[in-house]
Amino acid sequence: MSQVVLGVSGGIAAYKACELLRLFTESGHAVRVVPTREALRFVGEPTWAALSGNPVSAEVWDGVHEVPHVRIGQEADLVVVAPATADVLAKAAHGLASDLLTNTLLTARCPVVFAPAMHTEMWEHPATRANVATLRERGSLVIDPAVGRLTGADSGRGRLPEPTEIFELCARVLAGRTTDLAGRHIVVSAGGTREAIDPVRFIGNRSSGLQGYALARTALARGARVTLVAANVALPDPAGAEVVRVESARELREAVVTAADAADAVVMAAAVADFRPSVSGDSKIKKTAREPDPIHLVKNPDILAELGERRRDGLLKPGVVIVGFAAETDDVLANGRAKLARKGCDLLVVNQVGAGLAFGTPDNAAVVLAADGEQVEIPRGPKEALAGTVWDLVSARLS
Ligand code: CTP
C-alpha cells in the first residue's frame, strides 16, 4: 500500500480533488490530504478527513509532537498537488515553507506531481512559466492544464485535467513506469476526416476519436510530448497535448507530415477518407426538379504510405516508429499483413469492425502485426489498455 499525499491548494477546482482522493483510496492507497488554508475555504476539513480516513490540517502547529511538517513528506511515496494554484507553484519553485503543504513539498524525496488549475492569464504569465520550468528542471511532473470552461463564463487553458487523467498518471508514477516515453515527441492522428460536397454537406465516417485520444493521453502519462492531429473530434483536449484541429484528409496530411519531421513516433489512428468529391463548390447544392448530379470522386493522398516513403528518402528522424491502424471486416489477418507491407509501417493495429467494437465504443480488441514478424493479440478491453500495448511495442522499438 503506497502512502500518497494529496496537496490541495485554493482554487475552485478543489472540489474535483475529492474525486481524485476517492480514486486513490478505492484502489488501495493510503492518502493524507494536506490542504492549504485557502483550499479549506472551498472544501472543508470534515470532507477531506471523512473521505481519507486521516486527520487533516493546513497548519504545522497541529499534532506538533508527531512533527508533521517533516514526517508527512518523508513518509510519502508520492505527493500530488491538485489543484495547484499559481501561488503554490511559486512557493514550491522558491522553496518557501509557510504552511504544512509547502513544508511537505520541501521534505518529500519521492516523486512530486503538480496538476495546475488557474485562469489562462495566470498560467501564461512569465512568472508562472518560469516557476513551472524550474519545477520541471528539478524533476517534478507538472501537467499542463486542460483547455475548456474556466470558473466563470470564460474558457481557455487553465482547467484542472480530469481526476481520472491525474490518477492515471499518478498510478504510473507509483508503479515507476512513467519515463519510457520521456523526451520523445509523438504524433497521433485521431478522428475521421470530412470531405466537403458543398459548404454544408460532407462525406464522413463513424470514427469518434476515442482510440486516438486514449493513445494521446497514455503517451502523455508516460512522459511524451504529444502532437494530436484531431479530425472532427468532439472530446476534451487531453491535458498537455498540442492539439491541431483539421477537417479534411488534405488538411490532416499537411498537419501530420509537418509534425512528423521531428517526431520519434507517428501513430495514424485517424480514419482518413480515401476519396473526396472532385469539386466542392462555394454554394449549397439546391434541390431541383431534375435528377441530382452524380458526385465524382478523386483519390486522397495516402498519408501513412507517404510517411513510409519519406522515411525511405531520409526525410524523417532516424529510428522513427510508424504505426498504422486498419479496420477490417473480413479476412482480418491476411488483409492486415498485406496492408502492413503495402504501407511500409512498423506496426499495424488491426481491429475487426462489428460485434459492438471499434467505432464510438469505449472498448476495443485488436491484433498488432509488426514488420519484424511479431504478432500481439490484444483482448477486448478499454481503449486505454490497447493504447498501453501499442506504446509498449513502440517503446521497445525506440530503445
Ligand atoms: N490512411 C492514411 N491515408 C489514407 C487512408 C488511410 O494515412 N488516405 C491510414 C489510416 O490512418 C490507417 C491506415 O492508413 O492508419 C489504414 O487505413 P485503411 O482505411 O484501413 O487503409 P486503406 O489503405 O484505405 O485500405 P482499404 O480501404 O483498401 O482497406
Side-chain angles (χ1 to χ4, degrees), residues 98 155 160 199-200 202 291 336 346 371 390:
S98 51
S155 58
L160 187 74
V200 293
F202 58 82
E291 284 294 298
D346 302 293
V390 170

Side-chain angles (χ1 to χ4, degrees), residues 275-290:
F275 303 101
R276 67 175 183 276
S278 58
V279 283
S280 72
D282 292 334
S283 331
K284 186 182 169 198
I285 300 170
K286 301 299 284 180
K287 181 167 49 165
T288 53
R290 60 187 176 83

Side-chain angles (χ1 to χ4, degrees), residues 268 270 272-274 301-304 324-328 339 342-343:
M268 284 292 298
V272 186
D274 291 321
D302 187 325
I303 305 159
L304 189 57
F325 269 71
E328 302 287 348
K339 198 170 281 183
R342 194 165 71 240
K343 303 250 185 179

Side-chain angles (χ1 to χ4, degrees), residues 76-89:
D77 296 305
L78 173 82
V79 178
V80 51
V81 186
T85 56
D87 183 68
V88 92
L89 293 174

